[in-house]
Amino acid sequence: MPFKNILGKGEKASIENITSDFVTLASHQLRTPLSAIKWNTEILLSKKLGKLDGKQTKYLQEIYRSNERAINLVNDLLDVSRIQEGKIHLDLRPTRVEDVAEEIIDSLQTLIKASQVSIDFEIINGPLPKVETDQEKLKRIIVNLLSNSIKYTHSAGKIKITIVKNKRHLTISVKDSGVGIPRTEQQKVFQKFFRSANAMRLSPDGSGLGLFIAKSLIDAMGGKMWFDSKQDKGTTFFFTLPYKL
Amino acid sequence: MTKQKSRIVVVEDEQALQSVMVEWLQSEGHEAYGITTGAQAFEKIPEIMPDLIFMDIILPEMNGLEVVARLKADPKIAKIPVIVMTNLALEEERKKAESLGVKEYLIKTDYDFASLNKIIKKYLNAV
């Protein structure tokens, strides 16, 4: 029967038989209670089990939000560990980068509306060829850059996403009119756990790992990442993606 | 003619997760069944013949993927869409799941019930 080859020896499920990787085990153990808190809180907030007054809703939302922070931190730590061990696995597929960008803008609508920023999207030298890349990782990178821009830009601010077709690669940029990164902090931006003073002020929940992860992923995906920023004027993050790795 | 409720089975050994998932599915109008072990899955699933199965990977006495493989040996049960819900982010397990014909490999902490509703709709309608 085919499944005997797939599953290998032994039927015992104790997780140690599946992997001995400490970080995988630790993140699995951490995620179990975090998913329990997530779903049990969500069902209460849904009011399917009874009415809630304003205060009850408020404090349940606080539980849900704090839990999401913990979940994001576990995800980031798992990513950083894989990056540091050189275990980044790329699932390469022909991808329309412009579609991925549009999907992400769509999925962040709640955040965009709440922040009252405007998002512009432009393609230069189109039409764009498909790129052979890891779609999930590309999504994570764009989500990280775009949500940073939204967080650090005041309402009525402008954010622009541009994709440029070059000979052998695409250049994607996310430009905002936000608070910018002070010159004194710019060399540290891609360091693990680094948070600029502005970031701490505007988004106290961040892990400080997002850009380290994004840059590491882009490096693994054959591209480069860099940025331009001026205090109080705004920041533009750029990254490239070769058409073929 | 009354619309028949969809039957959904949740194979999950953590009670804190199993009971809330079953509660949610029932509140959404499905007939939901919670199963805690692989052995129970082999016994109950052919009886229930659900329209959709959620399968955890780490079960008390066996790997959920092995449960899937054995269930799929029965051609009638093989047609039932299976969604793996796990907190184990391992490429090897994901690939095994894919080769077994599992429809989705989802990390539990990435999904709230609202997003699961969309996924459930997709696979219940596809049948």
Side-chain angles (χ1 to χ4, degrees):
Chain A
M1 275 160 128
F3 63 82
K4 277 214 160 78
N5 300 325
I6 292 164
L7 294 165
K9 298 186 190 141
E11 293 177 12
K12 279 241 142 213
S14 66
I15 187 174
E16 291 79 21
N17 284 354
I18 297 179
T19 183
S20 57
D21 178 63
F22 173 73
V23 177
T24 305
L25 292 174
S27 55
H28 175 269
Q29 298 300 83
L30 277 166
R31 281 174 168 161
T32 301
L34 297 179
S35 40
I37 296 169
K38 183 180 177 109
W39 291 348
N40 282 276
T41 308
E42 187 188 356
I43 202 170
L44 286 171
L45 280 167
S46 74
K47 301 185 189 170
K48 284 171 187 268
L49 304 177
K51 284 185 253 188
L52 291 174
D53 67 27
K55 276 201 177 174
Q56 288 168 333
T57 301
K58 174 186 164 183
Y59 290 109
L60 280 169
Q61 280 175 345
E62 204 46 67
I63 293 172
Y64 192 87
R65 268 199 292 262
S66 287
N67 194 58
E68 289 298 300
R69 263 177 79 183
I71 288 172
N72 290 333
L73 190 53
V74 170
N75 289 341
D76 284 352
L77 291 173
L78 190 57
D79 284 345
V80 170
S81 154
R82 296 245 165 89
I83 286 165
Q84 293 195 144
E85 294 177 356
K87 281 184 188 162
I88 302 176
H89 164 87
L90 294 180
D91 183 10
L92 299 172
R93 293 182 201 207
T95 305
R96 276 190 214 285
V97 176
E98 64 275 28
D99 288 352
V100 173
E102 276 182 12
E103 230 180 83
I104 290 168
I105 295 172
D106 260 342
S107 71
L108 290 175
Q109 276 309 312
T110 314
L111 184 61
I112 292 167
K113 283 188 185 133
S115 319
Q116 295 180 303
V117 292
S118 66
I119 309 244
D120 246 323
F121 181 36
E122 191 184 359
I123 292 175
I124 296 179
N125 297 339
L128 304 173
K130 286 195 196 175
V131 175
E132 210 171 75
T133 192
D134 184 314
Q135 286 180 20
E136 283 312 310
K137 293 187 170 62
L138 175 62
K139 272 188 203 165
R140 280 227 301 276
I141 292 162
I142 299 177
V143 167
N144 178 261
L145 296 181
L146 188 52
S147 51
N148 280 349
S149 282
I150 296 169
K151 273 188 283 196
Y152 305 134
T153 301
H154 308 295
S155 67
K158 290 189 191 322
I159 294 175
K160 183 158 185 195
I161 300 174
T162 310
I163 307 180
V164 180
K165 175 175 127 184
N166 301 294
K167 192 165 174 206
R168 276 191 258 277
H169 65 271
L170 292 180
T171 304
I172 297 108
S173 62
V174 180
K175 179 185 164 106
D176 65 57
S177 59
V179 294
I181 305 165
R183 189 118 50 87
T184 49
E185 293 181 335
Q186 289 188 7
Q187 326 82 288
K188 301 187 220 161
V189 156
F190 291 114
Q191 285 173 15
K192 291 196 282 291
F193 297 115
F194 175 75
R195 307 217 63 221
S196 80
N198 287 331
M200 287 297 311
R201 199 168 39 89
L202 293 170
S203 173
D205 294 351
S207 65
L209 292 170
L211 285 175
F212 170 81
I213 292 169
K215 183 165 195 300
S216 305
L217 291 179
I218 282 296
D219 286 343
M221 286 153 78
K224 294 206 185 328
M225 181 177 278
W226 69 99
F227 69 94
D228 240 324
S229 186
K230 203 162 181 177
Q231 175 119 29
D232 298 324
K233 291 270 193 300
T235 302
T236 307
F237 267 87
F238 301 86
F239 68 93
T240 60
L241 276 178
Y243 298 129
K244 264 185 167 10
L245 247 194
Chain B
M1 186 161 121
T2 44
K3 188 168 166 230
Q4 244 192 326
K5 283 187 180 186
S6 302
R7 271 179 239 143
I8 304 181
V9 157
V10 177
V11 185
E12 166 64 69
D13 70 321
E14 288 279 336
Q15 282 314 304
L17 296 173
Q18 190 200 103
S19 70
V20 70
M21 238 190 122
V22 167
E23 181 88 51
W24 177 272
L25 292 170
Q26 285 170 347
S27 77
E28 290 287 311
H30 307 294
E31 249 179 62
Y33 301 85
I35 287 179
T36 309
T37 67
Q40 270 179 27
F42 297 136
E43 188 197 317
K44 299 259 167 73
I45 286 174
E47 277 171 25
I48 298 169
M49 284 307 285
D51 302 294
L52 182 62
I53 298 171
F54 281 103
M55 181 71 67
D56 188 12
I57 290 186
I58 305 298
L59 295 172
E61 73 315 23
M62 55 184 11
N63 182 321
L65 294 181
E66 168 146 12
V67 177
V68 172
R70 285 208 220 164
L71 285 172
K72 287 205 182 258
D74 178 336
K76 275 183 288 150
I77 299 181
K79 292 186 187 148
I80 304 172
V82 175
I83 296 175
V84 161
M85 288 223 69
T86 180
N87 277 324
L88 199 58
L90 270 184
E91 198 49 44
E92 303 91 81
E93 298 305 297
R94 185 188 290 270
K95 284 204 187 103
K96 284 180 204 171
E98 209 176 329
S99 67
L100 287 170
V102 161
K103 298 291 183 192
E104 303 267 356
Y105 185 102
L106 307 179
I107 302 292
K108 293 173 203 168
T109 47
D110 286 346
Y111 290 85
D112 59 10
F113 287 135
S115 349
L116 284 180
N117 277 348
K118 290 190 193 143
I119 293 175
I120 290 168
K121 217 171 166 179
K122 174 177 173 191
Y123 291 106
L124 286 180
N125 291 337
V127 172

